[in-house]
Amino acid sequence: MVFGIRKRIHDHLVERRIRRTRLVTKYGRCNIEFGNVKYGNHFAFLVDFWTTFVEFRWRFVLFFFIASFTLSWFIFGLLWFWIARNNGDLTWQNPSKGHIPCVDNVYNLITAFLFSLETQTSIGYGGRAITPFCSGAVTLIIIQYLIGNIINCFMCGVILAKISIPKKRAKTITFSEMAVICPKKDFLCLMIRVANLRKTLMIGSQIYGKLLRTTIKPDGETIIMDQVNIEFMVDAGKDNLFFVCPLTLYHVIENTSPFFEMAMDTVHKQEFELVVFLDGTAESTNSACQVRTSFIPQEIMWGYNFLPIISRNKEGKYRVNFSNFSKVVPVATAHCAYCFHNMKGHHLHSINGIDNGEFEVIDNLEQPNMTKM
């Protein structure tokens, strides 16, 4: 029992360390912070106030929404109270019997606040109304109407922009938890799987990757987070993906690939991060969005391949079995890229292939030797 608790604590600490060292989390967030920013640069966030408000968290947006309306009602309520006081309309001022107020039924601070609220929200209960004998009151009601409309338009625009922000569309696009390295069409490839959980398509989808690592130049200069382009493609190409069902994207490990010098027993000892990007335009909203994820060496499985997930039922309809989306099976794979190109038959596992049983017209099929990631 003590050994089990100790193992859980160790696994938890390892997971926290891996999460801290990622530049991009599995859900696409960038793990970076800015320090020693000059004070004058903070003013740029106020100049670009629209983007600043849209990027606020929902709790702050709701706070500003409530505060902006409540504060404007209260400030204009004070102004209406001031007008009533100057005209002698308040109860404690004992107005004469024939006195004509600037605003009917505004005789204290509470009634002034209620009149301000009714004016700005266009409620108009009929109990309080402005009279045409005070020019200051007429001017104030015009100003409050204009400012109230500005606040309405701004806050409604911010909420609408946050609701339709493209980041939310990215939540329905998911990547496999692991990447695999195995042969594909006489090439050694690194493969990942991506799926669109909505039936609406992503138009003009493009996939690409960046390998981030620390390199040391011959002159001794250390480059932190050096970026190397990683090209991904599907069988039909790498641009304008037909994203109607889950796709398996692959990167060919050639002699120009940064993975060419790695092997099965050394890839997990490397220090790098593979960041994968998917750009596209949502069909329903016509808004561009980007989906990101990352893979570290411990999340790359050498000598495994993804299980098939597309089948066809008895009615002829295609079906996607997401229970196999993050499952792999061992396949015959060379120990390293050099072995794959120069030493045929140097395999990690059996050379037996994978039967695509998922495409058969069946209700259920158990796959042997499955590994869940």
Side-chain angles (χ1 to χ4, degrees):
M1 180 177 178
V2 176
F3 177 77
I5 296 176
R6 185 181 301 172
K7 185 177 183 302
R8 291 180 183 178
I9 296 176
H10 177 267
D11 294 341
H12 176 71
L13 294 177
V14 170
E15 183 180 354
R16 286 188 59 186
R17 181 179 60 84
I18 292 175
R19 191 184 300 117
R20 286 198 305 267
T21 56
R22 284 183 185 273
L23 176 65
V24 180
T25 65
K26 299 295 287 185
Y27 302 102
R29 281 189 165 277
C30 295
N31 183 24
I32 192 170
E33 61 181 17
F34 300 99
N36 299 325
V37 179
K38 293 183 178 179
Y39 179 78
N41 293 334
H42 292 287
F43 185 71
F45 291 95
L46 297 179
V47 175
D48 187 17
F49 65 92
W50 174 256
T51 305
T52 302
F53 267 89
V54 172
E55 291 181 349
F56 274 148
R57 294 183 179 272
W58 270 109
R59 53 178 174 265
F60 297 116
V61 172
L62 295 177
F63 170 78
F64 282 115
F65 180 86
I66 296 172
S68 61
F69 283 105
T70 305
L71 190 61
S72 64
W73 297 337
F74 181 72
I75 291 176
F76 279 102
L78 293 177
L79 294 177
W80 287 115
F81 178 79
W82 176 73
I83 288 179
R85 182 179 181 278
N86 285 346
N87 195 50
D89 301 337
L90 302 180
T91 304
W92 59 269
Q93 292 178 313
N94 298 319
S96 61
K97 188 173 182 181
H99 177 76
I100 300 177
C102 289
V103 181
D104 291 332
N105 295 322
V106 173
Y107 45 82
N108 55 28
L109 183 59
I110 295 178
T111 55
F113 175 79
L114 292 176
F115 179 72
S116 173
L117 187 151
E118 295 171 15
T119 300
Q120 192 165 324
T121 57
S122 301
I123 294 177
Y125 289 120
R128 279 171 283 272
I130 190 173
T131 61
F133 302 102
C134 296
S135 59
V138 175
T139 303
L140 182 60
I141 199 171
I142 294 174
I143 295 174
Q144 183 174 6
Y145 175 78
L146 295 176
I147 293 179
N149 281 339
I150 292 174
I151 296 175
N152 285 335
C153 294
F154 181 80
M155 296 308 303
C156 289
V158 169
I159 292 177
L160 181 61
K162 284 193 67 67
I163 292 175
S164 59
I165 197 168
K167 290 182 181 180
K168 304 304 179 183
R169 178 63 177 92
K171 299 293 185 182
T172 55
I173 297 177
T174 181
F175 288 89
S176 57
E177 297 180 3
M178 295 284 188
V180 297
I181 295 179
C182 65
K184 180 179 177 63
K185 294 185 177 180
D186 298 328
F187 293 99
L188 186 65
C189 300
L190 181 144
M191 297 190 294
I192 61 175
R193 182 171 274 175
V194 61
N196 178 17
L197 302 181
R198 289 188 179 274
K199 293 184 178 180
T200 54
L201 299 180
M202 293 290 294
I203 302 173
S205 300
Q206 295 181 339
I207 188 79
Y208 57 96
K210 300 286 184 181
L211 188 72
L212 310 178
R213 59 184 178 181
T214 301
T215 58
I216 301 177
K217 289 186 175 182
D219 58 358
E221 180 185 0
T222 301
I223 302 178
I224 299 177
M225 208 166 60
D226 186 23
Q227 300 185 20
V228 180
N229 291 327
I230 303 294
E231 291 189 358
F232 283 94
M233 62 184 69
V234 295
D235 293 333
K238 62 179 182 179
D239 297 328
N240 298 322
L241 306 179
F242 185 45
F243 208 0
V244 68
C245 62
L247 299 176
T248 300
L249 311 169
Y250 61 90
H251 162 71
V252 178
I253 302 179
E254 301 174 318
N255 55 356
T256 58
S257 172
F259 295 96
F260 187 81
E261 302 295 332
M262 303 180 190
M264 187 273 294
D265 53 353
T266 62
V267 63
H268 291 168
K269 300 177 182 178
Q270 303 289 328
E271 292 186 4
F272 65 84
E273 182 175 353
L274 175 61
V275 184
V276 182
F277 304 86
L278 175 65
D279 297 338
T281 303
E283 183 182 35
S284 55
T285 61
N286 198 30
S287 59
C289 69
Q290 182 183 84
V291 191
R292 299 179 295 268
T293 191
S294 69
F295 300 90
I296 57 177
Q298 290 76 16
E299 296 170 344
I300 297 178
M301 302 185 68
W302 195 297
Y304 289 84
N305 195 3
F306 292 110
L307 284 174
I309 61 174
I310 300 178
S311 62
R312 189 169 58 189
N313 57 22
K314 297 180 180 179
E315 289 77 20
K317 293 183 179 181
Y318 292 96
R319 183 184 65 177
V320 178
N321 181 12
F322 277 98
S323 63
N324 286 348
F325 182 77
S326 290
K327 291 181 180 179
V328 297
V329 63
V331 295
T333 308
H335 180 267
C336 61
Y338 178 84
C339 300
F340 180 85
H341 293 287
N342 299 279
M343 302 173 61
K344 301 299 181 182
H346 188 80
H347 300 298
L348 290 175
H349 304 290
S350 170
I351 61 174
N352 296 329
I354 305 175
D355 294 331
N356 189 356
E358 282 288 339
F359 199 74
E360 298 180 6
V361 183
I362 54 176
D363 294 331
N364 189 16
L365 181 64
E366 295 292 336
Q367 293 285 350
N369 300 327
M370 291 189 297
T371 303
K372 185 175 181 181
M373 295 189 294

